[in-house]
Amino acid sequence: PNSAPNSFGGNLSLLSGAGSSIANGAGGSVLLSTGSGRTAPGGHVSVLVGVGDGTADGGKVWIQAGEAAGPASGGSLNLYAGASTGRDAVVGGAVNIVGGNTTTNTGGSVYLWSGHSDKTSSGDIHIRTVNAGSRGRSGSIYLKTGTSSSGQAGEIVLETGDATQDSSGDIVLRVGTASSGDGGDIILRAGDTLAFQETGGKVILYGGHGLNDGFGGEILLRAGNGNGQTGGFIDLLSGYGLSSTS
């Protein structure tokens, strides 16, 4: 496309028709579809925005589902990767959401926000893997920060919100039940250090404070019950020192 000097580029709009309010008609759809491939990949759909030159930002991409004005739910926004089917099926396609890179400053962030409500509860965020098929295991969930060569590595923070009229939210770590075999473990381990004569990370458990003439929160350590066998133990062991006492 051509551009005139010191002017704005032309706009391109794709609009479907509106439905008639008299006949309760639905609005028209917009379909972007590429061709199938026989012995090669199917066609791609690329949405690219313009580059910002000089001090201007690059263009934005907005994908927004429709609002509902009456007694109906707002439209959903669904992102699906392609399935792998057939006799020689392999891995299904991935969904990659990546923040923008930068050469001299902080990279772009990735935010997942639930919806706000003026009168009732805000929306939930569910991150889960689906159940396994007849063979194999269900997928895992990994939360990991990147490594750092000159500064401190990033943190993983799990924090619930404050409550002004009720109890604050809980943080629950629970392992699933095993039908055949041992139950899964919960492992909390602080970081090791390779630096000379430095200290490994701490595991710190604090009960909550009762700040306004209240009681402090408890720390409860309880082993599991045994139905027909011995209950679990609680072992408190200090670390050993190679060159001095622990």
Side-chain angles (χ1 to χ4, degrees):
N2 297 322
S3 61
N6 300 323
S7 65
F8 295 99
N11 296 322
L12 176 62
S13 300
L14 294 177
L15 300 176
S16 62
S20 173
S21 59
I22 299 177
N24 295 325
S29 301
V30 175
L31 174 64
L32 296 177
S33 178
T34 64
S36 302
R38 297 295 182 180
T39 59
H44 304 290
V45 174
S46 299
V47 178
L48 303 176
V49 297
V51 177
D53 294 332
T55 59
D57 296 334
K60 296 179 174 62
V61 175
W62 294 94
I63 302 176
Q64 180 175 339
E67 299 179 355
S73 299
S76 300
L77 179 61
N78 301 315
L79 297 176
Y80 290 101
S84 179
T85 60
R87 185 181 62 181
D88 299 326
V90 288
V91 180
V95 175
N96 299 313
I97 300 176
V98 182
N101 299 325
T102 180
T103 57
T104 58
N105 212 315
T106 304
S109 301
V110 175
Y111 295 92
L112 294 177
W113 297 77
S114 66
H116 168 73
S117 174
D118 292 334
K119 296 182 179 180
T120 60
S121 302
S122 60
D124 299 324
I125 294 179
H126 297 265
I127 299 177
R128 61 161 295 175
T129 63
V130 299
N131 299 331
S134 58
R135 293 178 296 177
R137 51 175 288 178
S138 61
S140 301
I141 294 177
Y142 296 93
L143 293 177
K144 183 177 179 179
T145 63
T147 59
S148 176
S149 59
S150 60
Q152 184 176 353
E155 298 175 329
I156 294 179
V157 179
L158 297 178
E159 181 177 349
T160 63
D162 299 330
T164 57
Q165 299 293 331
D166 206 334
S167 300
S168 57
D170 298 327
I171 294 178
V172 179
L173 298 178
R174 183 182 182 276
V175 179
T177 303
S179 299
S180 59
D182 295 336
D185 299 326
I186 293 179
I187 300 173
L188 298 177
R189 176 173 177 173
D192 301 329
T193 179
L194 297 175
F196 180 67
Q197 291 188 344
E198 296 293 342
T199 305
K202 301 179 180 67
V203 176
I204 302 174
L205 298 177
Y206 285 112
H209 302 297
L211 299 177
N212 190 10
D213 200 24
F215 299 96
E218 299 173 340
I219 295 179
L220 304 177
L221 296 177
R222 178 175 178 176
N225 300 327
N227 188 6
Q229 299 294 331
T230 304
F233 298 97
I234 295 179
D235 294 329
L236 296 177
L237 303 175
S238 64
Y240 61 89
L242 294 178
S243 58
S244 62
T245 59
S246 60

